[in-house]
């Protein structure tokens, strides 16, 4: 789970050092390239504000779990990673992969990939919009326990998880970097 010491990732024209996700983006790209699950973008763009698709999430989850997916016959790396993630049970085969991934779905995928032990939600509210009866209550409680959660602000208020909202690539990078750190801490 260690990141490469030398950066073999390209400079990205759409990710400046002032971007709060800058370090996380470069770290996850380095990890995915190291695992063979991602090719450096030819366009030199990461598109941090784009919504995450299931194929990209599969590439990232497999990289976090230490699995490589390669490239299938006549297919793309993304298709091969998605097929491998389905084969490993990280993604349900019937997921609607044509739609953007939500934040809650991404937390669930990352926790599955890293095989972090589940934590029961406390009796109180986890986020302003997630209580213990929410479908992702156990997922977000586990992510919170391991320090993986990222609080999202909604209309100037803090403490909302917005788990049904689409996930951006920048947010995915931040969450994945925190998840990788949590996994390293457990192994020590």
């Amino acid at each position: 789970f260690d990141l490469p010491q030398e950066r073999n990732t390209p400079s990205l024209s759409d990710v400046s050092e002032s971007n709060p996700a800058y370090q996380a983006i470069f770290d996850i790209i380095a990890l995915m390239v190291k695992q063979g699950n991602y090719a450096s973008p030819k366009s030199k763009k990461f598109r941090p504000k784009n919504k995450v698709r299931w194929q990209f999430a599969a590439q990232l989850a497999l990289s976090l779990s230490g699995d490589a997916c390669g490239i299938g016959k006549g297919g793309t790396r993304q298709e091969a990673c998605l097929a491998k993630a389905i084969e490993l049970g990280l993604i349900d085969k019937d997921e609607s992969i044509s739609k953007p991934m939500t934040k809650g779905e991404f937390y669930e995928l990352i926790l599955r990939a890293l095989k972090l032990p589940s934590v029961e939600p406390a009796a109180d509210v986890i986020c302003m919009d997630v209580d213990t009866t929410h479908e992702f209550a156990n997922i977000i409680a586990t992510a919170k326990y391991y320090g993986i959660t990222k609080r999202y602000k909604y209309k100037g208020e803090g403490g909302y998880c917005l788990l049904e909202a689409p996930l951006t690539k920048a947010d995915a990078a931040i969450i994945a970097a925190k998840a990788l750190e949590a996994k390293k801490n457990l192994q020590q």
Side-chain angles (χ1 to χ4, degrees), residues 8-182:
N8 294 328
T9 55
S11 61
L12 299 170
S13 62
D14 61 345
V15 182
S16 70
E17 288 188 41
S18 64
N19 185 319
Y22 176 82
Q23 189 63 50
I25 289 169
F26 278 92
D27 287 349
I28 65 127
I29 288 175
L31 178 66
M32 291 193 301
V33 168
K34 178 183 173 186
Q35 290 296 125
N37 294 336
Y38 191 77
S40 297
K42 292 177 185 165
S43 68
K44 305 292 186 215
K45 292 186 177 185
F46 181 73
R47 296 178 176 83
K49 293 181 181 179
N50 278 11
K51 294 174 184 164
V52 171
R53 298 284 176 188
W54 286 86
Q55 295 89 334
F56 176 78
Q59 288 175 284
L60 184 48
L62 288 168
S63 296
L64 289 171
S65 69
D67 291 304
C69 50
I71 300 176
K73 287 185 177 180
T76 66
R77 183 175 278 113
Q78 286 188 334
E79 290 168 350
C81 287
L82 183 61
K84 177 91 176 205
I86 290 170
E87 175 188 322
L88 293 174
L90 298 178
I91 295 175
D92 295 330
K93 190 173 185 173
D94 61 342
E95 288 290 350
S96 176
I97 61 166
S98 61
K99 67 177 177 67
M101 179 173 251
T102 67
K103 293 171 185 172
E105 291 165 335
F106 188 70
Y107 278 117
E108 183 175 35
L109 173 63
I110 294 304
L111 293 174
R112 279 185 191 175
L114 292 177
K115 299 176 180 152
L116 293 173
S118 183
V119 173
E120 291 295 318
D124 60 348
V125 174
I126 297 165
C127 300
M128 295 300 289
D129 57 342
V130 177
D131 65 18
T132 57
T133 63
H134 191 280
E135 72 172 299
F136 288 117
N138 284 28
I139 299 297
I140 203 67
T142 301
K144 182 178 178 183
Y145 176 81
Y146 292 108
I148 300 169
T149 54
K150 180 179 189 286
R151 292 278 176 123
Y152 300 91
K153 291 186 178 180
Y154 181 69
K155 295 183 180 176
E157 298 177 306
Y160 287 86
C161 289
L162 303 175
L163 298 178
E164 290 84 16
L167 178 74
T168 66
K169 289 176 79 177
D171 285 338
I174 291 169
I175 293 166
K178 287 181 177 186
L180 186 61
E181 191 62 34

